[in-house]
Structures are given as structure tokens and as C-alpha cells.
Amino acid sequence: MNTQDGEQGNPAHSLFETFLHASQCQEVLDSFQALCGQLGLEHKGQLQFYHKLKSCLNYWNAKALWGKLDKKAGHKDYDQGRACANTKCLIIGAGPCGLRTAIELAFLGAHVVLVEKRDSFSRNNVLHLWPFTIHDLRALGAKKFYGRFCTGALDHISIRQLQLILLKVALLLGAEVHVNVQFEGLIPPAEKGSGRGGAWRAALQPSSSPVGQYEFDVLISAGGGKFVPEGFKRKEMRGKLAIGITTNFVNRHSRAEVEVAEISGVARIYNQQFFQNLYNKTGIDLENIVYYKDDTHYFVMTAKKQSLLRKGVIVQDKADIESLLSAENVNQEALLSYAKEAANFSTNYQLPALEFALNHRNCPDVDMFDFTCMNRSENAALVRECHGARLLIGLVGDCLVEPFWPLGTGVARGFLAAFDAAWMVKRWAAGTSPLDLLAERESIYQQLSQTSPDNTNKNTSQYSIDPTTRYRNINLQAIKPNQVRDMYVVGTIEIDHKKRNSRDSTDVSRAYEELLSWCQTHTAGYRGVTVTDFMHSWKSGLALCALIHRFRPDLLDFNSLDQHSPIKNNQMALDIAEQELGIPPVLSSTEMASVAEPNQLGLITYLSQFYEAFKSSASEDPQGLQDWISGEPEERVRKLLAPPSTRGAVLFLNKLQKSLSLTRKRNQDSAQQDLETKRTRREAGLESGVEGDLSIADLGRGTNHQEQPQSTETSASSSTLGRQQSLLTSPAESSDACYFCGKRVYILERVSAEGHFFHRGCFQCHQCGTTLRMGDFAFDEDDGHFYCMLHYASPRSMEVPDSGSHAAPHELKLSTLSLDSETESQEGPGEGSEPLRSAVPAKDQGAPERGQVCWVEPRFSEEAEDIEETDSDGEEEEESQDLEYLTESVSVCLPSFGEKEKHSTWKRTLTRRDKEAEMKRFCKAQSIQRRLEEIEVTFRKLEEKGIKLEKSLRGKGGTQSELKTQWMNQLLSLVQKKNSLVSEESDLMIEVQELKLQEKQCQLDQELRRYMNMEETLKMPQDTLKEKEILAQLLEVVNQRNALIQVLEEKRLSELSEAFPGSA
């Protein structure tokens, strides 16, 4: 009898197949119940059920699955299912994290009951998977339930499919799952002798649910961010307004759809060109976009509010975000049009006839949501005790930490939290004291928000619920038991509305006096300098020059200064501090030379930056100074030139900004000279058509290697001199007035660049309004405007074109990146611009354009979907099957020069690694962007406090001096916080530069690979020349990356020497 006949002859086998391939939640539950009824098994919620099921279902198609689950269950952490045999657990929520927790608790032998308020899995949204989550799901037999699991170019899965896989595994392991049951609270145990139960129970809706009588000693909440059990405090992390849009389109799995490449993520922060093109063509303004291909075509993007208002998606602008995105304020038709147009543009209009998938309400699956605020719980667990009965409560999933969706961390950190919760339950069952248990859980929780694929243990096959197998160098005693006493609650929970202000109450009462004393100490002994206050003592400029000379005597000759030239002295000190120390000015040199009481606040603010930069310098103590004097000359120079850690990033960005400005100026001058030369040749009839063969790297350094540095030096010095002369001959620009809006700029609001002062919020690109930051802007001296790097060379129109116009494939430039805006904006299509890396039908294309990589996604026949594993240790077999899928169906569209080359595995591996690297860049960019936005919000809060204090200090006389001193100390404290944020922001901007260089290096590497793969006999002279140019550009980028790495390493060593003085 063949296998087919055997299936038909055994109803249990047929029911198992139905269960295996069930695609709806209720279908899974019904088929599983029918299977249990057919086998005569009672589902009691413990692991013994799994062993009975396995013995009753001796079916070939189940054996491979049993082998995987047996291998997993045999891990030593589970103690053969006896570790938590006497523990009863209730889990709230059947999301991926709740189900994953249920599986681990079932392996531990606990009695597991899970309640879910819905009866369907309808979320089509797609989740990015980290390597360990893929390994983990494979070990649970994911491919038995879903044949397409992780076989594409990117690793992801829809939430619905993930829930179905985990639900099936949880049921097989004996977990009870009850749908249409909503948790409404806890029912504490009654007093002994009252006649009622002496254990914890749950208040449920409907109250008739049999789970209402279930008594448990562990409660795990996985109910989502809006549901957190009583007793847990939430912490809000607020960024700038962020509006996300998710949309799902029907995936028919046609050839045309398969050939469209996924987008692992593109972000404005390092690829402004793509979003500019999107805006110009459609009027849609986004911060980022991701496209995954799974059960649906899934797109997720962050849209700008003004764009949504202009396109009519949001009907009326409102201050309250909840009202802004309320159903009555959103035009649903406009939202559908907005999402579809963004999807079409980003895929180069290659997805045929986009049709919206339907959600659980039978409506188009498009959603707009706010993720301005991300919440996280302040603690991961607590213990409640009532009438002698203890209850352990733990959080997993979004109610523990809400993920920031662009990072793709939700399911990964959710699974890690599930493992951590299971470990906690195991320790609870082992009799660990509540305080020790809570302290250990909080120690582990500290690691969670910082985890990434790069900083967790690499050997994912060894991951288990034991946290030491997953987190590197984790200290399980980082939190002490006495620190978690408030997490052990006896009796009823009392809400504590008092806020802990221990950090805010830091003693700042002596900040003013300490700064004055510090300045006096480090200017003592200098000719003509006697510091007694923050007004008259600094007018001549000698005191400021003395302070700089005290720490950096290599930067100026103090003895040559003339005390009768106060503006010149102050201007020189301001320039040196900005260019060599990374300390931006707060006042102009004219204001410094005539310090009046109103400007005293600005001077104090400015000097506090010197204090922050040099307070931990080796020359602070006599022994350190003596060591410096007695050291070798080379060592003295190295220590002098090493920037303090707090200002190193600011200094680097300052120098980078000036370097870019000089490079652009040289390029413009060179281009102008070329035009004049060509014109002269044409007029003289000598035009030969021969272009210079200089590489881009040569252009960056100038054409005359001997004379150009001199001209650069002259340019820099003349620029500074011109600035000084303008200050000497005309009234200087007031630091109190914003360069952009002309309104008053208070101390905490004040930012400076190119000698101008302005509000942080006003520092925007003159052309497109993009927020500008240090190291990433350009200043046009001719028109006096600031620009982003994209719009500096040839500002483009921001007018919205006709809706009927579409983007041509060569204009999209999804991955185009250039540090020099001229390269991006001046080169036309086919002359250095890079096309959108999205597939076009093979019949319509020959050799692809520069750097284009076209993917054909894996196609699955019915047979491929039904491939089954026969080996109980089948992970290697699964991976080989995936490779076969890719081998047969992935086509990398590389140019064919001569005979078509058979694409080998290493080429596919390289392409996949490129995609993974692209995903890492995107996630890092979004992490940086989010932190920059959080910093911006914090700046605003500091500014509001600072403005209030400054107004009080500048108010009319009569205020008591003690009160003014108190206000001054508070203002200084705010300034110190601002300085710290500026330093962090600069560190992040260096990382942005690193991302840009990584992206550019990746593109150049792909182009170079394409030319190097050409047969030498088929190469044309222009191909050889182009290859050399690309190689020169690649070397230049590598050198720039090395410079960045050196800065970061110097900063790290500087911080290390500050933390451990003896190690320097």
C-alpha cells in the first residue's frame, strides 16, 4: 500500500495534514480538537500530552517534526520537562511573543493556559528576522508549517504566518489556548477559612469562561503596549512627530511580481536624493520606506505631516496627535492614493495592477499610526503577595518595550524577552527568593534595549533560556536585591504619584563660583590678566587667549598679543576655539570686547564649554602637568593635539565642514577654468576634444600638487582675515538676533555657523527646508544662504509636477549617494547617476546600467511547497533546500560581455550579503535618526527652561543677589546638559558620515566588480579608464572612512583615559 492510500485509510493522518496546513486561527483550533478527538486524547495543558500524541500518531509526515521537538525538549535547561512541573501559568495575548513564551513554559513542564480576546490572526504586516530568530523557528519546525519560510533575498515573515506557526507548536506541546476571552484583571486569593479559593485567579470576559476557575501562580502579560498589569510604571521616550503608514497589497505570485526587488530599507538621513525625486514626481514627502514581499506586498513608510496635509490625507492640522490622526480627520481615499503612489514609485512602477489586501474588517489594509512616543516599562517583573499566596507577574512583547519599527527589533527582542521570562519562571519554580529573582530579572532587562545582531553572542545554535548563552558579558548581579524592594508588593497596590527628582536635585548651588575659580586658576600668571568677574576681566581678549594658551600653547603666541586690540584678540580666540577645539562661539568678537551685563550670560555660557572640555585634562593637576613637561616631544605633541573626548566629535565635524567647503570651492574654480579654457580653444580653433584624465580623487586635491595646498592655505587665511576686517570696519552681527528670522535668540537656543547666530529650529536648507546639522550643510557666500548637501550646487525646484508624470527608471536613484552635492545634482542619467535598484522585466533590458542588480525572487510550485523532511535532524536539509530554491530561481542580472556566465553560489552569496549590509545600514540610520529626534525634543525642553531663567536674570534690578546667583547656577546646569547633548549629537553625525561612506563604498564596489568581471579582450579603452576612475574613488572613500575610524578611536581612548587615568 502506498503512502497516499495509507493517508486515506487513516483519518488521524488526514486530520494531521489539515492541522499542518491550516491557514486560519479558528481552523487550526478546530482541526487540532478534531485530531485529539480522533486519537482519544484529552488536552490538559502540560507536556505529557505531547508524549501521548507522539505515541498515538505514528505517521511518516509527523516524524520529522517529532524529531525536531524532541531535540529541543532534550535541552538540559528543561530538565526533561520537570523544571516547572508544579507551576501553573496564565499568559495574556496570542501574539508572537505570548505564544513563544507559552512554548518555552511548556517545554519546562509548566501547566500553560493562554487567553486571546480575538479569534482570528489578521495582521499581514511583515517582520524582519534576526539570524537567531530564524534558527530558533527552524528548530521548532517552522518549515513544516510554512514551506516558504526564509527562502528569499531578505529574511522576514508576516505576523499572521508567524502566529500560525507558533500556535500550532504550542498546541502540540500541550498548551491550552482559549480565544474570544478577554482578561480584565486579577482576583486576589481570599483569606484562609473564608471558604473561597486560596490562590490567584483572573477576572475574564465572558465570565462564563472555564478559565475563570483556573488558579495560577505565574502571570505573563503579552497583551500589547496598551495593556500593562497594575503595578508597572511606564517610561515615555518622545521624539519629533512621526507618522507611519503601513499598507498591504495582494500578492498573486506572478512572474512579474517575483521579479521586483524588495527594498530592505532606504532612509533620508543618508540618501536624500531618492526622497527628493519622490517629492518632485509625486508631492509625497517621506523619511524612509521599506518593501517586503511575503503573503502580501508589504510597504511601511514614515510620512511628513505637511506632505499629508498638502495631499489631502489629513483634513485639518491639529496640535493634538490623537485628534490629528482621528478617523474623522483622515481622508481614507486620499490615504489609499498616497500609499499606492509611494509603493509604485519606490518599485519603479513594476508591480502590476496593485490591489489592496483586505484586513479583518474587510477594508483595504492601510493604516496610519503615530510612533512619536515609544513606551517601555520601568521594570520587567514584580511579585505580589496576598494572604500568603504569591504571584509572579512578568511582561513580554510591546507591553515591556514598544519597538521602533524601522529598526526591525520587535520580534527579535520580543523572543529574547520571552526566553528571559521563561528563565525567570524556572528560577521561581526552583524556589529562588523573590527579591533575588527580581534583582536578576532586572539585571537581564537592562541588556534588552541595547541588543542587536552585532552585540549578542554569535553562536545562535547555543541559544537557550539561559541568558548567558545569548548576552555577552552579562552581569546577573548588576541590580541588587535591596534595589527592587518596591517590586515586591504585599497586599493591595498603592499608586505612587510622587516623581523621583533625585537627579534633578543635583546640587548646582556652586556652579557659578566653581567656574569663576577655575578661570582664575588657569589664567593666573599671565601678563595683563586678572580675572575677578565675568564682565570687565574679559574685554581685552587677553584672558580668553590665556585660557586657550594654558591648555594649548601650540595654538597661539601669547606674548605677541596687544592688549589695546580687544576685537582682534577676541576674534582670534573665537576662531581658534572653534577651528581647533570644537567650541562654537556664543558672542561675536565685538560683543566680547564690550561685555556689558546683558552679555555676561553669553560669556558664562561660552566659558562653561571650556570648562567642560578641559576640566579632566592632565594639566589640571600639578603631577599631570609635570609629566607632560618631562615627556618626549612627540608624546607632548600627541597629547596636545588629541581633542578632549567631549569636544572631539564637534571639532572633527567643524574641520570636515570647512574641508568640504574648500573642496567644493576648488571644484567650482576648476570647472570655471575648464570652461574658460575650452572657450579660448574654440575661439582659437584649437579645440582638440581631449579631456583631462584626472581622477575624482585628483579633483578633490586640486590639479597642481605643489601649488594647490598653498592656495588652499591662502584661501583659508584670507577668509578669516576678511571676516576679521569686516568686524573691524563695520558693526558686528548681534548674537541676540537670529540670522534667519531676525527674532530674539536666547542663550540656550543659540547656535552658530559661518559666523552667524540663529535658533536651532531655523537652521534649515534654504531650498527644501530640511533640518541642517553640523558637518552636513553648505554655505553659499554669494547669496548668504545655507543649503543641504543635495541643493548646494544647483538648487532644484520643489514644485509638485503634474500627477500624470511618472518617474523614469533611470531617474529614481534609490541608492545614489555622494558626499559632494555636485556629483549628484549635475550628472545626468547615464553619466554617473545610479538607477533605482529595482528589477525590470528581463525582456526589456539588456546589460543593466551602472551598479544595477536585478533580483528574481524564489518561485514556489505546489510541489516545492509540499517538500517534506524525512530526517529528524533536518535543519541542514532545510538549508540545502533553500539553497536549491535560490539556485533554481534567483537570477542576478549582471551584464553579459560575450558568453553568458553561469552564476555561481559565491555571487549569490555576495548579493545576499549586500542586502544584509544594506539592512544593517538602514537600521543603524533609523536608530540614529530616532536618537537625533529625541535629542531635539530634549533641546526644546531645555530651551524653554533656559528662556524663563534668562528673562528672570535680565529683568529689572531689585532682585536679591542670592536669588540671582541661584538662577545663574540653574542656567549653568542647563548649559552643561546642552553641551552634553551637542557632543552626543556630533557623535551621531559622525556615524551618519560613516553610513554615507559605507553606502558609497558599496556602490563603487559593485561597479568595480562589474568592470573587473569583463573579459580583458572585450574591454574598450573607455572601460579601462572608467575602471581606474572607480578604483581611485573607492580608495578615496576608504581613506575617508579610515579618518573617521581614527577619530572614533581617539575619542574612545580619550574617554578611557578619563575613566581610568592610570591607563592613559
Side-chain angles (χ1 to χ4, degrees):
M1 183 176 67
N2 60 31
T3 305
Q4 190 87 3
D5 294 336
E7 262 185 54
Q8 293 175 353
N10 191 328
H13 295 179
S14 179
L15 286 169
F16 181 78
E17 288 293 330
T18 302
F19 168 74
L20 206 63
H21 298 102
S23 59
Q24 300 295 331
C25 174
Q26 196 61 55
E27 184 185 359
V28 172
L29 295 173
D30 291 343
S31 60
F32 186 72
Q33 187 176 3
L35 177 63
C36 292
Q38 180 66 36
L39 296 174
L41 296 175
E42 186 179 358
H43 198 214
K44 291 188 176 180
Q46 282 190 291
L47 194 61
Q48 289 90 333
F49 168 82
Y50 164 69
H51 296 298
K52 291 179 182 179
L53 174 64
K54 187 174 61 171
S55 63
C56 292
L57 192 63
N58 187 20
Y59 174 43
W60 70 270
N61 202 19
K63 287 182 179 179
L65 183 58
W66 303 153
K68 283 184 170 294
L69 296 179
D70 284 346
K71 181 179 179 181
K72 180 79 174 175
H75 194 281
K76 60 182 179 63
D77 285 345
Y78 304 128
D79 190 22
Q80 299 299 316
R82 297 188 296 268
C84 298
N86 297 319
T87 304
K88 294 184 177 182
C89 306
L90 177 66
I91 299 176
I92 307 166
C97 298
L99 288 167
R100 191 64 192 85
T101 306
I103 290 170
E104 287 304 317
L105 295 179
F107 275 127
L108 286 165
H111 186 279
V112 181
V113 176
L114 184 147
V115 294
E116 167 60 44
K117 64 181 180 181
R118 301 181 182 89
D119 62 358
S120 64
F121 296 155
S122 57
R123 289 185 287 175
N124 292 314
N125 293 354
V126 180
L127 301 169
H128 170 62
L129 298 178
W130 290 6
F132 93 84
T133 54
I134 298 170
H135 187 280
D136 178 65
L137 290 168
R138 284 185 186 275
L140 295 175
K143 286 188 68 66
K144 294 296 298 181
F145 305 108
Y146 183 53
R148 290 193 180 121
F149 178 68
C150 286
T151 53
L154 295 170
D155 297 322
H156 50 67
I157 190 171
S158 71
I159 298 176
R160 188 179 69 85
Q161 283 291 352
L162 181 57
Q163 285 178 283
L164 288 171
I165 291 170
L166 296 174
L167 173 62
K168 293 171 185 178
V169 176
L171 290 171
L172 291 174
L173 294 175
E176 292 183 37
V177 178
H178 298 262
V179 295
N180 293 320
V181 177
Q182 184 166 352
F183 177 85
E184 293 194 333
L186 287 167
I187 301 177
E191 293 186 41
K192 293 180 181 180
S194 64
R196 290 189 295 152
W200 291 85
R201 291 185 295 115
L204 303 171
Q205 190 61 244
S207 57
S208 58
S209 171
V211 184
Q213 302 305 313
Y214 177 59
E215 297 180 344
F216 49 88
D217 58 347
V218 174
L219 174 70
I220 302 294
S221 174
K226 294 182 179 179
F227 176 77
V228 180
E230 188 181 22
F232 289 89
K233 297 177 182 178
R234 303 283 277 170
K235 180 180 180 181
E236 182 183 83
M237 295 170 287
R238 178 173 289 274
K240 290 170 68 176
L241 176 64
I243 301 174
I245 298 175
T246 60
T247 182
N248 287 276
F249 298 97
V250 174
N251 187 354
R252 302 176 184 85
H253 303 285
S254 66
R255 179 178 180 84
E257 290 170 296
V258 165
E259 288 176 343
V260 178
E262 295 178 291
I263 303 171
S264 57
V266 58
R268 179 184 291 271
I269 197 171
Y270 64 85
N271 196 343
Q272 192 178 349
Q273 178 70 71
F274 167 73
F275 295 98
Q276 186 65 59
N277 289 339
L278 171 64
Y279 183 89
N280 288 338
K281 295 294 181 183
T282 67
I284 293 172
D285 205 2
L286 302 179
E287 288 289 347
N288 50 46
I289 189 167
V290 173
Y291 162 49
Y292 287 155
K293 195 183 314 179
D294 210 273
D295 286 348
T296 61
H297 296 291
Y298 169 69
F299 292 83
V300 58
M301 61 201 81
T302 303
K304 292 190 175 182
K305 184 179 75 170
Q306 291 304 319
S307 169
L308 294 169
L309 286 166
R310 283 194 299 266
K311 299 287 284 185
V313 177
I314 296 177
V315 178
Q316 185 177 357
D317 193 5
K318 297 183 179 181
D320 177 48
I321 186 65
E322 191 171 340
S323 302
L324 183 74
L325 301 183
S326 62
E328 56 271 17
N329 198 43
V330 174
N331 184 327
Q332 196 65 21
E333 289 301 317
L335 175 60
L336 297 182
S337 175
Y338 191 98
K340 181 178 283 191
E341 187 63 21
N344 271 321
F345 183 93
S346 62
T347 55
N348 208 2
Y349 297 88
Q350 295 299 310
L351 284 174
L354 284 178
E355 177 186 345
F356 287 102
L358 300 180
N359 58 22
H360 63 284
R361 295 186 297 270
N362 209 34
C363 297
D365 194 355
V366 180
D367 187 30
M368 187 161 63
F369 59 96
D370 163 47
F371 60 99
T372 303
C373 298
M374 312 303 297
N375 291 288
R376 57 172 293 161
S377 176
E378 290 188 0
N379 52 294
L382 59 83
V383 173
R384 292 189 62 179
E385 182 177 333
C386 186
H387 302 307
R390 289 174 177 172
L391 175 68
L392 174 64
I393 307 176
L395 306 182
V396 296
D398 288 3
C399 62
L400 180 63
V401 179
E402 284 185 341
F404 181 49
W405 69 261
L407 301 184
T409 58
V411 68
R413 290 179 181 167
F415 276 24
L416 290 173
F419 299 157
D420 296 337
W423 177 257
M424 175 182 69
V425 174
K426 179 185 177 182
R427 299 268 290 150
W428 174 263
T432 306
S433 71
L435 289 180
D436 288 337
L437 179 74
L438 292 170
E440 182 179 89
R441 179 68 187 97
E442 297 310 310
S443 299
I444 299 170
Y445 180 42
Q446 285 187 330
Q447 300 285 319
L448 187 64
S449 294
Q450 308 302 320
T451 53
S452 70
D454 296 326
N455 62 22
T456 47
N457 287 332
K458 298 298 182 185
N459 192 355
T460 57
S461 64
Q462 299 299 314
Y463 278 24
S464 74
I465 60 173
D466 184 346
T468 60
T469 65
R470 293 173 279 119
Y471 304 111
R472 293 182 187 172
N473 306 318
I474 186 170
N475 178 9
L476 297 178
Q477 284 80 43
I479 302 295
K480 304 303 179 186
N482 63 342
Q483 295 176 268
V484 295
R485 291 187 183 278
D486 57 339
M487 299 177 199
Y488 187 0
V489 182
V490 178
T492 58
I493 293 179
E494 295 181 3
I495 306 298
D496 182 12
H497 296 284
K498 295 181 179 179
K499 296 182 179 179
R500 299 178 182 178
N501 294 318
S502 56
R503 293 187 178 180
D504 296 336
S505 61
T506 304
D507 182 21
V508 294
S509 60
R510 289 187 49 78
Y512 179 90
E513 290 82 356
E514 284 182 5
L515 179 61
L516 181 60
S517 175
W518 184 83
C519 291
Q520 290 171 334
T521 301
H522 293 92
T523 55
Y526 281 89
R527 170 183 56 84
V529 177
T530 304
V531 174
T532 58
D533 55 24
F534 288 113
M535 282 178 34
H536 306 288
S537 305
W538 301 86
K539 286 187 176 183
S540 68
L542 293 180
L544 187 56
C545 290
L547 196 59
I548 295 173
H549 187 269
R550 175 69 174 81
F551 295 99
R552 292 292 302 272
D554 58 308
L555 296 179
L556 59 84
D557 180 7
F558 185 83
N559 293 326
S560 65
L561 300 177
D562 181 5
Q563 62 179 345
H564 300 296
S565 303
I567 295 180
K568 182 179 179 181
N569 295 339
N570 278 297
Q571 186 62 53
M572 181 174 65
L574 291 174
D575 288 341
I576 290 174
E578 183 177 12
Q579 297 169 16
E580 302 296 336
L581 303 178
I583 299 176
V586 177
L587 299 170
S588 68
S589 57
T590 303
E591 290 171 323
M592 292 279 288
S594 57
V595 177
E597 188 167 355
N599 287 331
Q600 180 185 10
L601 298 178
L603 179 61
I604 292 173
T605 302
Y606 185 58
L607 292 175
S608 71
Q609 296 183 76
F610 285 86
Y611 177 73
E612 289 296 318
F614 293 113
K615 65 180 179 181
S616 57
S617 172
S619 54
E620 279 286 276
D621 61 281
Q623 184 58 45
L625 181 60
Q626 185 60 39
D627 292 342
W628 179 83
I629 294 172
S630 61
E632 294 295 324
E634 294 83 359
E635 182 67 14
R636 292 208 303 265
V637 171
R638 185 190 69 79
K639 289 186 176 182
L640 280 172
L641 298 180
S645 64
T646 52
R647 312 306 306 177
V650 182
L651 173 60
F652 177 83
L653 290 175
N654 241 329
K655 293 190 174 183
L656 174 64
Q657 192 66 57
K658 293 187 181 300
S659 173
L660 289 174
S661 298
L662 289 173
T663 300
R664 284 192 295 270
K665 187 68 175 174
R666 286 198 299 268
N667 286 344
Q668 289 174 347
D669 293 344
S670 176
Q672 185 64 31
Q673 289 175 5
D674 288 345
L675 288 174
E676 291 176 0
T677 301
K678 289 179 182 179
R679 191 181 301 112
T680 303
R681 287 180 177 178
R682 278 197 297 270
E683 291 172 356
L686 299 176
E687 179 65 61
S688 64
V690 178
E691 300 285 344
D693 60 351
L694 292 173
S695 68
I696 291 179
D698 290 331
L699 284 175
R701 290 188 292 268
T703 56
N704 189 326
H705 295 285
Q706 292 180 346
E707 297 177 7
Q708 188 64 34
Q710 183 180 353
S711 65
T712 302
E713 227 173 84
T714 305
S715 173
S717 61
S718 63
S719 172
T720 303
L721 181 60
R723 188 165 149 200
Q724 291 175 0
Q725 288 175 344
S726 67
L727 288 168
L728 286 167
T729 56
S730 62
E733 178 182 339
S734 171
S735 62
D736 285 342
C738 176
Y739 176 72
F740 297 101
C741 69
K743 295 180 181 179
R744 177 68 176 269
V745 186
Y746 291 92
I747 296 296
L748 264 293
E749 298 178 295
R750 196 170 298 173
V751 182
S752 66
E754 302 294 335
H756 301 295
F757 301 91
F758 40 82
H759 300 99
R760 284 182 60 86
C762 292
F763 193 29
Q764 297 177 345
C765 172
H766 178 70
Q767 187 66 29
C768 66
T770 299
T771 299
L772 301 178
R773 291 186 173 90
M774 187 59 65
D776 204 28
F777 70 87
F779 179 68
D780 193 322
E781 295 180 0
D782 296 330
D783 64 14
H785 294 311
F786 289 85
Y787 295 94
C788 64
M789 306 302 283
L790 181 65
H791 290 115
Y792 175 63
S794 54
R796 300 182 180 184
S797 171
M798 288 288 286
E799 294 298 321
V800 182
D802 296 336
S803 58
S805 64
H806 297 307
H810 60 261
E811 293 178 333
L812 302 184
K813 301 200 290 186
L814 178 62
S815 294
T816 299
L817 178 89
S818 175
L819 283 176
D820 295 329
S821 56
E822 291 84 353
T823 307
E824 267 185 14
S825 53
Q826 290 182 347
E827 291 177 338
E831 299 178 9
S833 62
E834 190 166 291
L836 172 68
R837 287 191 287 182
S838 182
V840 294
K843 63 183 179 183
D844 295 332
Q845 70 175 20
E849 295 185 58
R850 222 178 130 188
Q852 186 174 13
V853 177
C854 303
W855 276 89
V856 178
E857 299 292 349
R859 291 184 288 274
F860 298 89
S861 62
E862 293 298 321
E863 294 80 11
E865 292 184 18
D866 294 332
I867 289 177
E868 308 295 349
E869 305 128 359
T870 56
D871 184 0
S872 62
D873 193 16
E875 185 165 339
E876 293 182 4
E877 182 180 343
E878 287 179 359
E879 291 175 353
S880 67
Q881 288 173 5
D882 294 345
L883 185 58
E884 287 173 12
Y885 291 159
L886 290 170
T887 302
E888 294 172 2
S889 58
V890 176
S891 172
V892 183
C893 301
L894 295 171
S896 55
F897 302 99
E899 183 180 354
K900 184 177 180 179
E901 183 182 356
K902 184 179 180 180
H903 306 302
S904 55
T905 303
W906 69 268
K907 286 188 177 180
R908 287 189 300 276
T909 302
L910 282 176
T911 309
R912 185 176 175 84
R913 286 180 179 175
D914 285 344
K915 282 286 185 183
E916 291 172 352
E918 188 179 77
M919 170 65 78
K920 286 184 178 180
R921 285 196 296 276
F922 175 72
C923 290
K924 187 172 183 180
Q926 293 312 295
S927 177
I928 292 170
Q929 181 70 37
R930 177 69 186 185
R931 182 55 191 149
L932 286 172
E933 291 172 355
E934 290 173 353
I935 287 174
E936 196 67 35
V937 171
T938 308
F939 267 128
R940 287 203 204 109
K941 293 179 180 177
L942 291 178
E943 287 169 2
E944 289 173 3
K945 294 179 182 178
I947 291 171
K948 185 177 179 180
L949 284 170
E950 187 173 348
K951 285 181 177 178
S952 299
L953 285 165
R954 291 178 183 268
K956 295 181 180 180
T959 305
Q960 294 182 1
S961 59
E962 291 183 4
L963 185 56
K964 277 199 170 185
T965 302
Q966 181 182 343
W967 289 341
M968 182 67 75
N969 289 329
Q970 291 174 2
L971 184 64
L972 273 174
S973 176
L974 294 178
V975 168
Q976 289 171 358
K977 291 177 182 178
K978 177 190 172 182
N979 292 342
S980 177
L981 288 174
V982 168
S983 180
E984 184 183 357
E985 183 182 50
S986 300
D987 288 338
L988 293 173
M989 289 308 299
I990 286 182
E991 293 187 43
V992 170
Q993 298 297 333
E994 168 69 3
L995 283 176
K996 289 184 176 183
L997 291 173
Q998 285 179 11
E999 177 79 2
K1000 191 171 184 179
Q1001 183 175 343
C1002 178
Q1003 294 168 31
L1004 291 171
D1005 185 61
Q1006 288 180 1
E1007 293 183 60
L1008 184 62
R1009 197 184 306 159
R1010 183 162 68 91
Y1011 281 102
M1012 294 180 73
N1013 285 339
M1014 295 172 62
E1015 292 288 343
E1016 289 295 330
T1017 55
L1018 299 175
K1019 282 186 181 179
M1020 302 292 287
Q1022 56 266 35
D1023 293 329
T1024 304
L1025 180 61
K1026 193 66 179 176
E1027 183 178 342
K1028 290 181 179 179
E1029 289 179 356
I1030 294 171
L1031 181 59
Q1033 292 178 59
L1034 189 59
L1035 290 173
E1036 183 68 24
V1037 170
V1038 170
N1039 289 335
Q1040 291 173 1
R1041 287 192 66 186
N1042 287 339
L1044 279 175
I1045 292 170
Q1046 184 177 355
V1047 169
L1048 295 173
E1049 180 63 12
E1050 287 179 354
K1051 182 177 183 300
R1052 186 187 69 82
L1053 293 175
S1054 180
E1055 289 173 344
L1056 187 65
S1057 65
E1058 289 178 9
F1060 306 100
S1063 64

